[in-house]
Amino acid sequence: MANTAPQRAAQKLLVANRGEIAVRILRTAHRLRISTVAVYTRSDATAPHVVLADEAVPLQPNNGDPVANARGYLDADAILAVCKERGVTLVHPGYGFLSENAGFAQLVIDAGITWLGPKPETMECMGLKHRARELAVEVAVPLVPGSKSLLHNAEEAVSLANEIGYPVMLKSTAGGGGMGLVVCTNADELRSKFTSTQSRAQTLFHNDGVFIERYIPAARHVEVQVFGDGCGRVIHMGERECSVQRRHQKVIEEAPSPFMLRHPAIQREMWAAAVRLAEHVNYESAGTVEFLVDDATGEFFFLEMNTRLQVEHPVTEQVNPGLDIVELMILQGLMKHDHPNGSMLSHPAMEQHLSDTPPEGHRLHAIEVRVYCENPAAQFKPCPGVLQQVEIPKHDWLRVETWVETGTTITPYFDPLACKLIVTAAHRSEAITRLSQVLSEIRIYGPPNNIEYLRAICQSQAFKEGIATTTFLDTFTFSPRAFAVLSGGLETTVQDYPGRRIGLGIPRSGPMDSFAFRLANILVGNEPGTEGLELTLTGCRLVFHQAAAVAVTGASIKVSVNGEEAPMWARIVVPAGGKLVLGNAFGTGMRMYLAIKGGFPEIPKYLGSKSTSLGLGGFQGRALTAGDQIALGDCEPSDALSPLSLPASVIPSCPTVWTVHVLAGPHCDSTFITPHGIAEFFATDWTVSSASNRMGVRLEGPHIGWARATGGEGGSHPSNILDNGYAFGTVNVNGDTPVILTNEGPDMGGYACVCTVASADLWKLGQLRAGSTVRFERVSHAQAVDLLRSQNSLIKSFMDASISPPLALGPAPESENVAADSRLHIVPADPAQGRPCVVFRQAGDSAVLVEFGEMTLDFAIRARIHAFETEVRRRALPGVWFLAPCIRSTMVHFDPLATSQASLLAALIDAESSLPSTVQSLEFPGRKITFPVVLDDRWNREALDKYMRSIRDNAVYLPSNIEYLARNNGLTSAQDALKQLVGTDWLVLGVGFYLACPFLVPIDPRCRLVGQKMNPSRTYTPRGAIGIAGVVAAIYPIESPGGYQLYGRTLPPWQTWGKGQDFSPDSPWLLRPFDQVAWEVVSEEEYVQLEARFDAGQYAFKVEETTFSMAEYAAFVESVTDEITQFKARQANGIEHEEARERELFTQWDLQRRAELDARQAQASVADGPTGDESGACVASSLTAHIWKIKCAPGDVVNSAEQVLVILEAMKTEVNIEAGEEHVGRRVKGFGRGVREGGSVSAGDPLVYFE
């Protein structure tokens, strides 16, 4: 509907607030066609009120302290400066912050700006409760019996309390919202609390004045909305009841008051009293007069007057159709501006008869609830965090005031209000029914909130009958269906099975040991893939608010319920209020699993899975920590569940020496590794490195016998290849270090892969512990599929009672002569027809890598891959999960139980043969997307500075990656290199690695700069960084490690929550193959502004539909052939020179590094003697690790099971070694051999001995 309000071009309104109230004020201002200004602090930079306002200005932008910066909304001088700078004519303060600060209001008025609120003198006198009481007495507004003025000492308070009668309330005169209020039941209590209440009042309100009032135990809180024109004319708009309170904070508000509906005479008296008081002070604008009502007698008493807009004002608006209190405040301000000597506001809502409706004439009833991110089960502790899913229902009878959406962060700096829900109905019972409905429908998932608590209140008999008083919630019992985390251990995360099978660099995630995980779920009656907890090495401590059936599987640990030991691999029951303690893994094994009946329904799926990954999914995208609370589903035990426990014969063991079944390939042939190197690889007992984690299991052993000197265009090391897809569980060789890529590993990259773990053995990777040894045993594809079928049959047998479960897992496959060569089929090149060689490579039992042509970048090859994928998708081959294309290959991922390798291979070969001989006539539709780019930016320079300080300070690519790129490509300067890099459009050849990271190549061959990867890699790269490795560039989607040579920064092609017109929640990535990327150079200052718009979902990329024509490209290349030849010649000379320099520099650095390591080890061996009596009880290391910190000393007494004795460093994380319950009360005697900070320990080594 068109906005018919008159344009008020001369007016500009600043909202001195944030959150939902700022959004609500802006909405009305826009309807009135008044331009608006928002102010914001750092944590609110992308908040809705910033986006919705016509202008937005940061407060204290140079204050880097987030806590101090958050106080910007209280900085009157800063806000006033914004008003003057931006030509503001109106200021609306909302509620809270400076809304009742008379000094700020006066500053605004003195600056010639209209204050949308009452006069400062009114605010001041009503803000001091003792003065407000005096004014009330002057117009016969009844007061709670109490002191007539401020009290000076405790004895004066006691004397007066003896006259009034106990209990009494000791109150701060400047307080509000229940702060500064203490109930005292006798004289001794009053004496003891008097001074502390004064001190607290001084701290909170800078005023230590206190007074006392009689405390009415069975009271109702009823308030009257008033509005005045400042000239003595005041109307009321009816009352609201706010009796449902916790800790004197309102929880539910409604209009009209259910008490007043039964007592119309009292209602009219209260309305009149409120108007009388407001008229007495010539009240201007909106205000609320609050009363306490004795539920037994109906007497009402003045409490205070709030000289501002109330949080609960929508309730009044809903029962008065057409009323907009904010609009009246703005119009009153405009009237005052235009007629400073006074004039009555003319508006339909200012007619008193509209609100003078007797109870029998009330047509509507409205109820409001405040949804807070707080934990009712933990004394309403605020719970900051990310809202992972926000879905608010829509009904014509539901009004929602909110500022949150999926992805909003509730910070710890402000009130944790997420939204207000206001329902309206013809009568109260219907309103309650609707409120219960909407509280059942709403989905606000993330940190704990009070939605279920509100729902329980709505369903209580006292609330339904309208008899709740202000003490109702004091005895209201609420027990959430949830568990609370007392201790989260090293890494306890939410996972589900199978995780994500999307590709595009979205990690699969899920449980590392999916076999133990699924069995745990079966034991409690869940579906095998239901979300549960994965614990790494160390256990956790949980308290269950309601009884729950649980099961623990995986590595061996001690399990106890309320101190009583409980079995693993069995269903156990934790009673309501029970404490479940999972100990640390002992012996061998790495991960444990906890399944709980019903799962975690309030943890939303992210991209199809609840698994925790890279800051995404799970609970807050992270491991659980103390204080977290997880909502449960139908968790109560049931006798119908089966089985109760698993037979010992099917429980897998965790040895120290592992045999892992693998399938050769995809790069297990003499093209990459010599025959001797292949034989040695499979004959080696590899040692698991302490640097392993969920991304990959790093292995230590001999050097690889490479068959090549370099990786050619893939990179200078023989392990380098032009980037291709990775299979899940593949053994990726980074330099000479094998890494088994696991659940959080990349799905694409530029390193060769020797073999791939059979799907049935993937669970073993989850139990590999640092120091364990692994030998890879090759199996055929048929054997691998048989193993998988056997495993799945076992799981199914426990789910289906009609199937007799096997006594054990199927036997390991018999050793046979399995071919090492992973090439399944080769289509020879046909130069005459222009067809390249095509190699189909085995990549585990669930993937086939299809390679085209030589190990070089060739757009014609990439075009053929695109055509091949198009044909494969057209055929809709059964069992194919997804394709992962890259530079010269595509990885076909498939379900080996849905289709055989042989049938899939035949279909792929046939699809390839159907392609035309030449691709020169092909055209590929795509998009041309313009990215802003900062060249040689400060953020990338900071990343390199950090690298030089912490990792390596002397390399051919240091101190400047850009200068290195210039030298490496035969260019004369860094500026020439940058000019080349942005002088052409780029083509997206692949999307993957991590979080849809794009792999790009310049379309113009003369601009294809090359560079080697940094060795070692960086530990930090800013998001949006652009770097080159080999001939390929990438845009880093998130802050992460990395090894590409950095030269600029742009906006990331990834938007976690899918904000903005170029993204969606189901597709948070931007780019896809055969998109083209153009660059627009911007300054660092411009980039910061663009980044803020991007994060707020307000940035729109420039996107043009385009087509990539192979014929046009070939013609262009032909036209610049000579220049390309010259460029490549200069480039070859530069590469040769820089590679020689790097070999020398790397050797120097490596020798120095090894010498320093030897020196530390020699020093350690001197100090590695015992530090005391090595006998008696001890705490041992659970893994091979470095000792980071020792947190105890001989003579210390262990005070709690959670007391940290030693902090180890392993798997790139800190591991707390806690005392455990069995050592509580014991005294530390000494340390194990070699235990010192900086030293190393192996799994099982004693750390701390006790007397």
Side-chain angles (χ1 to χ4, degrees):
M1 182 180 294
N3 191 343
T4 58
Q7 178 69 45
R8 294 177 169 87
Q11 302 298 332
K12 185 180 287 188
L13 184 152
L14 180 142
V15 181
N17 218 299
R18 66 177 298 277
E20 63 86 16
I21 190 58
V23 172
R24 188 260 176 275
I25 295 167
L26 289 168
R27 186 172 67 239
T28 291
H30 289 165
R31 181 170 55 79
L32 296 176
R33 303 181 74 183
I34 297 174
S35 63
T36 54
V37 180
V39 290
Y40 63 94
T41 58
R42 283 175 180 264
S43 62
D44 275 344
T46 62
H49 77 281
V50 178
V51 175
L52 292 172
D54 298 305
E55 303 173 41
V57 184
L59 295 169
Q60 303 178 357
N62 298 320
N63 188 340
D65 179 358
V67 177
N69 179 255
R71 300 191 189 106
Y73 294 110
L74 296 170
D75 190 335
D77 293 334
I79 295 174
L80 189 63
V82 172
C83 292
K84 294 176 179 178
E85 174 192 330
R86 297 301 174 106
V88 168
T89 60
L90 308 165
V91 170
H92 198 305
Y95 57 75
F97 295 122
L98 295 172
S99 62
E100 292 183 281
N101 186 309
F104 176 58
Q106 193 63 57
L107 285 175
V108 170
I109 294 169
D110 291 345
I113 301 168
T114 300
W115 171 257
L116 301 182
K119 301 168 188 174
E121 55 267 29
T122 305
M123 297 168 64
E124 187 168 8
C125 67
M126 286 299 176
L128 296 174
K129 291 183 175 59
H130 70 288
R131 176 60 182 144
R133 288 166 59 88
E134 293 170 357
L135 290 168
V137 169
E138 291 173 7
V139 288
V141 174
L143 298 178
V144 177
S147 50
K148 295 180 176 152
S149 59
L150 296 181
L151 300 169
H152 298 94
N153 54 61
E155 291 309 314
E156 184 181 1
V158 169
S159 175
L160 182 58
N162 288 337
E163 294 179 20
I164 297 171
Y166 291 96
V168 296
M169 289 187 293
L170 183 61
K171 303 174 69 173
S172 164
T173 186
M179 295 186 291
L181 184 156
V182 176
V183 176
C184 303
T185 58
N186 54 56
D188 291 340
E189 195 174 358
L190 181 56
R191 287 190 182 94
S192 67
K193 292 181 177 178
F194 187 87
T195 302
S196 62
T197 302
Q198 279 187 316
S199 300
R200 178 166 171 77
Q202 181 65 38
T203 301
L204 290 174
F205 314 114
H206 308 291
N207 186 327
D208 67 354
V210 296
F211 63 99
I212 63 171
E213 291 178 341
R214 190 178 80 200
Y215 176 64
I216 302 172
R220 291 175 179 264
H221 185 123
V222 181
E223 60 191 29
V224 178
Q225 177 72 57
V226 297
F227 198 96
D229 62 7
C231 301
R233 181 185 178 214
V234 176
I235 67 165
H236 74 81
M237 298 170 176
E239 84 285 349
R240 300 182 289 258
E241 180 161 343
C242 315
S243 299
V244 181
Q245 304 178 2
R246 48 95 177 150
R247 297 188 304 188
H248 307 290
Q249 295 285 325
K250 300 167 186 174
V251 175
I252 300 179
E253 304 96 357
E254 58 183 306
S257 159
F259 180 87
M260 294 302 173
L261 288 175
R262 296 191 290 267
H263 302 86
I266 298 174
Q267 181 186 55
R268 287 191 295 273
E269 288 178 29
M270 181 179 286
W271 290 347
V275 171
R276 204 160 57 241
L277 178 60
E279 288 176 337
H280 184 52
V281 296
N282 282 333
Y283 195 81
E284 181 178 340
S285 195
T288 302
V289 184
E290 300 194 350
F291 296 94
L292 196 68
V293 182
D294 190 321
D295 189 55
T297 66
E299 294 177 278
F300 65 88
F301 309 100
F302 171 71
L303 281 177
E304 62 181 353
M305 185 174 192
N306 288 311
T307 53
R308 56 170 167 81
L309 186 68
Q310 288 281 83
V311 178
E312 59 272 19
H313 76 273
V315 173
T316 296
E317 293 177 335
Q318 289 306 109
V319 296
N320 292 277
L323 174 63
D324 184 335
I325 297 174
V326 172
E327 176 183 351
L328 291 181
M329 296 177 77
I330 295 173
L331 295 179
Q332 170 68 31
L334 293 174
M335 179 68 68
K336 181 179 179 181
H337 178 271
D338 295 339
H339 304 280
N341 295 323
S343 179
M344 294 180 64
L345 174 64
S346 177
H347 192 280
M350 291 296 289
E351 299 298 327
Q352 182 61 83
H353 70 86
L354 296 176
S355 299
D356 273 338
T357 307
E360 62 274 12
H362 273 290
R363 300 183 306 277
L364 296 171
H365 197 100
I367 306 177
E368 173 185 283
V369 294
R370 307 183 190 186
V371 176
Y372 285 103
C373 289
E374 63 184 13
N375 189 346
Q379 299 182 328
F380 299 94
K381 177 187 73 173
C383 298
V386 176
L387 301 183
Q388 296 169 267
Q389 182 179 347
V390 177
E391 292 182 3
I392 301 176
K394 294 181 179 180
H395 299 287
D396 56 6
W397 41 263
L398 172 65
R399 173 175 170 179
V400 179
E401 296 292 348
T402 187
W403 66 285
V404 302
E405 60 184 346
T406 298
T408 296
T409 297
I410 303 295
T411 73
Y413 314 124
F414 306 110
D415 182 87
L417 178 67
C419 68
K420 300 182 304 194
L421 305 174
I422 308 100
V423 297
T424 307
H427 48 78
R428 187 171 186 269
S429 60
E430 184 182 15
I432 293 174
T433 299
R434 288 178 170 179
L435 182 58
S436 294
Q437 177 184 337
V438 76
L439 288 172
S440 298
E441 294 173 343
I442 191 170
R443 301 287 181 268
I444 299 182
Y445 294 158
N449 60 52
N450 66 337
I451 290 175
E452 285 304 311
Y453 179 70
L454 294 171
R455 190 177 171 203
I457 293 172
C458 288
Q459 294 174 345
S460 69
Q461 200 61 33
F463 182 76
K464 288 180 178 180
E465 294 177 5
I467 59 174
T469 65
T470 55
T471 59
F472 166 57
L473 294 184
D474 294 348
T475 56
F476 182 74
T477 57
F478 173 71
S479 180
R481 182 181 285 175
F483 70 77
V485 180
L486 301 180
S487 171
L490 166 64
E491 187 179 43
T492 299
T493 58
V494 175
Q495 303 294 339
D496 64 9
Y497 180 82
R500 301 176 181 89
R501 285 202 179 108
I502 299 173
L504 299 174
I506 315 299
R508 179 169 170 174
S509 305
M512 287 277 284
D513 179 354
S514 65
F515 185 58
F517 178 87
R518 286 178 285 170
L519 290 176
N521 267 318
I522 291 169
L523 283 166
V524 298
N526 290 340
E527 288 297 313
T530 303
E531 64 275 7
L533 298 183
E534 176 182 270
L535 300 89
T536 301
L537 276 174
T538 63
C540 63
R541 296 176 177 85
L542 312 174
V543 169
F544 285 73
H545 293 295
Q546 294 196 14
V550 308
V552 182
T553 60
S556 297
I557 60 171
K558 180 181 178 182
V559 180
S560 67
V561 176
N562 289 335
E564 297 291 326
E565 190 165 352
M568 291 185 64
W569 302 94
R571 173 160 40 97
I572 56 180
V573 175
V574 182
K579 179 180 178 182
L580 174 66
V581 176
L582 306 184
N584 298 341
F586 53 81
T588 57
M590 185 77 171
R591 291 176 175 85
M592 300 76 71
Y593 296 91
L594 172 63
I596 303 173
K597 181 175 177 280
F600 314 136
E602 293 191 15
I603 291 181
K605 288 185 176 182
Y606 182 81
L607 295 179
S609 170
K610 297 188 179 186
S611 291
T612 310
S613 172
L614 299 179
L616 310 171
F619 179 77
Q620 298 294 290
R622 59 165 171 80
L624 301 187
T625 61
D628 288 341
Q629 180 170 293
I630 306 298
L632 298 174
D634 181 13
C635 58
E636 294 195 8
S638 168
D639 293 337
L641 301 181
S642 63
L644 287 170
S645 63
L646 296 179
S649 58
V650 303
I651 297 174
S653 61
C654 295
T656 55
V657 179
W658 292 82
T659 296
V660 175
H661 296 105
V662 297
L663 293 87
H667 301 120
C668 188
D669 62 71
S670 57
T671 306
F672 302 95
I673 307 174
T674 65
H676 175 74
I678 293 173
E680 184 180 33
F681 180 90
F682 287 105
T684 296
D685 290 328
W686 299 92
T687 301
V688 177
S689 166
S690 60
S692 303
N693 54 30
R694 280 180 56 89
M695 292 184 179
V697 178
R698 299 179 69 87
L699 304 175
E700 297 170 350
H703 288 292
I704 305 296
W706 296 109
R708 310 181 297 169
T710 73
E713 288 191 13
S716 58
H717 194 275
S719 65
N720 296 148
I721 58 174
L722 280 175
D723 296 74
N724 65 204
Y726 291 149
F728 185 56
T730 199
V731 181
N732 181 255
V733 185
N734 183 337
D736 283 302
T737 303
V739 180
I740 311 174
L741 300 181
T742 52
N743 300 57
E744 307 303 331
D747 73 348
M748 187 177 292
Y751 293 104
C753 300
V754 182
C755 58
T756 304
V757 177
S759 295
D761 270 17
L762 287 170
W763 70 268
K764 297 178 180 178
L765 307 183
Q767 299 300 348
L768 294 179
R769 185 189 287 206
S772 300
T773 59
V774 177
R775 180 175 290 231
F776 297 113
E777 184 173 303
R778 281 171 289 183
V779 295
S780 67
H781 189 273
Q783 290 174 318
V785 173
D786 284 344
L787 284 172
L788 183 59
R789 285 200 179 99
S790 173
Q791 187 181 92
N792 286 351
S793 294
L794 177 70
I795 291 172
K796 186 176 181 181
S797 71
F798 286 116
M799 296 176 61
D800 189 342
S802 66
I803 301 175
S804 299
L807 296 177
L809 274 171
E814 295 182 8
S815 177
E816 58 180 59
N817 186 19
V818 179
D821 197 322
S822 58
R823 291 172 288 194
L824 301 172
H825 183 78
I826 299 175
V827 179
D830 186 349
Q833 295 293 320
R835 300 183 75 97
C837 174
V838 182
V839 181
F840 296 83
R841 295 178 175 275
Q842 179 173 263
D845 55 25
S846 55
V848 172
L849 179 66
V850 186
E851 291 181 338
F852 292 76
E854 301 301 319
M855 188 74 72
T856 58
L857 173 66
D858 185 333
F859 275 23
I861 291 295
R862 185 61 186 84
R864 182 171 289 276
I865 294 169
H866 199 71
F868 172 72
E869 290 194 318
T870 301
E871 177 63 18
V872 170
R873 291 191 177 98
R874 186 191 68 79
R875 297 187 179 202
L877 301 180
V880 173
W881 283 325
F882 61 91
L883 307 176
C886 207
I887 308 301
R888 56 176 289 268
S889 64
T890 184
M891 183 77 81
V892 183
H893 296 267
F894 69 98
D895 182 352
L897 299 181
T899 186
S900 69
Q901 184 191 74
S903 60
L904 176 64
L905 179 62
L908 295 177
I909 294 170
D910 187 61
E912 192 281 327
S913 67
S914 71
L915 301 181
S917 297
T918 177
V919 296
Q920 294 305 313
S921 63
L922 297 182
E923 293 184 343
F924 300 97
R927 303 167 299 169
K928 182 178 179 179
I929 304 176
T930 301
F931 279 71
V933 61
V934 187
L935 298 173
D936 193 15
D937 60 283
R938 61 182 171 90
W939 301 281
N940 283 332
R941 291 198 299 271
E942 289 169 1
L944 286 181
D945 288 343
K946 182 182 293 187
Y947 178 85
M948 293 175 66
R949 291 194 306 270
S950 60
I951 298 177
R952 183 181 173 189
D953 62 358
N954 191 13
V956 70
Y957 46 78
L958 298 174
S960 168
N961 286 179
I962 301 170
E963 291 177 1
Y964 157 71
L965 287 172
R967 296 191 306 269
N968 199 59
N969 291 277
L971 302 176
T972 57
S973 69
Q975 287 305 311
D976 283 346
L978 294 174
K979 185 177 179 181
Q980 294 276 84
L981 291 167
V982 297
T984 180
D985 292 345
W986 293 55
L987 190 66
V988 178
L989 298 186
V991 177
F993 187 62
Y994 274 120
L995 300 183
C997 174
F999 292 95
L1000 312 95
V1001 172
I1003 293 176
D1004 188 342
R1006 299 168 297 177
C1007 297
R1008 291 177 189 164
L1009 274 57
V1010 298
Q1012 64 173 276
K1013 293 172 183 170
M1014 298 175 70
N1015 186 15
S1017 296
R1018 296 179 305 275
T1019 57
Y1020 165 77
T1021 310
R1023 72 165 185 164
I1026 317 171
I1028 292 177
V1031 72
V1032 177
I1035 303 173
Y1036 286 75
I1038 61 172
E1039 183 181 301
S1040 63
Y1044 281 36
Q1045 304 292 334
L1046 305 177
Y1047 67 84
R1049 191 180 187 202
T1050 185
L1051 296 176
W1054 175 267
Q1055 234 289 1
T1056 299
W1057 301 107
K1059 293 182 181 179
Q1061 71 177 45
D1062 302 306
F1063 303 89
S1064 71
D1066 294 330
S1067 301
W1069 55 86
L1070 174 63
L1071 294 170
R1072 51 183 183 247
F1074 276 84
D1075 278 342
Q1076 297 177 38
V1077 171
W1079 307 106
E1080 179 183 351
V1081 178
V1082 298
S1083 67
E1084 290 181 348
E1085 292 73 20
E1086 290 172 319
Y1087 175 83
V1088 170
Q1089 296 175 6
L1090 296 176
E1091 184 184 38
R1093 289 176 56 200
F1094 176 86
D1095 288 337
Q1098 296 300 305
Y1099 183 83
F1101 287 90
K1102 180 182 177 182
V1103 180
E1104 308 167 67
E1105 296 299 321
T1106 188
T1107 298
F1108 187 83
S1109 167
M1110 289 302 301
E1112 292 177 6
Y1113 172 73
F1116 166 72
V1117 171
E1118 180 66 26
S1119 70
V1120 294
T1121 298
D1122 292 343
E1123 294 177 52
I1124 295 172
T1125 301
Q1126 294 170 13
F1127 168 71
K1128 286 189 173 181
R1130 293 193 302 270
Q1131 187 180 63
N1133 289 334
I1135 292 172
E1136 182 179 4
H1137 182 263
E1138 294 302 303
E1139 283 186 350
R1141 285 187 60 218
E1142 174 59 9
R1143 283 193 293 271
E1144 181 179 344
L1145 291 172
F1146 182 84
T1147 300
Q1148 293 174 3
W1149 172 79
D1150 193 45
L1151 288 173
Q1152 179 182 351
R1153 179 179 63 89
R1154 292 177 183 275
E1156 292 173 353
L1157 178 61
D1158 291 342
R1160 286 197 300 269
Q1161 291 176 340
Q1163 182 181 2
S1165 64
V1166 174
D1168 273 356
T1171 60
D1173 181 9
E1174 294 182 286
S1175 62
C1178 72
V1179 168
S1181 175
S1182 56
L1183 73 166
T1184 299
H1186 298 289
I1187 299 173
W1188 175 243
K1189 293 286 184 183
I1190 297 176
K1191 305 289 287 183
C1192 62
D1196 288 354
V1197 175
V1198 176
N1199 297 316
S1200 70
E1202 295 83 7
Q1203 184 173 333
V1204 177
L1205 303 178
V1206 179
I1207 302 176
L1208 305 179
E1209 189 278 325
M1211 302 178 297
K1212 300 181 181 179
T1213 56
E1214 294 181 4
V1215 182
N1216 290 337
I1217 302 298
E1218 299 177 348
E1221 294 184 356
E1222 64 271 28
H1223 299 306
V1224 174
R1226 287 179 169 172
R1227 189 180 302 276
V1228 174
K1229 180 168 58 174
F1231 303 107
R1233 186 178 298 271
V1235 173
R1236 58 176 181 78
E1237 292 183 355
S1240 299
V1241 290
S1242 299
D1245 286 352
L1247 294 173
V1248 179
Y1249 285 97
F1250 301 99
E1251 294 179 358

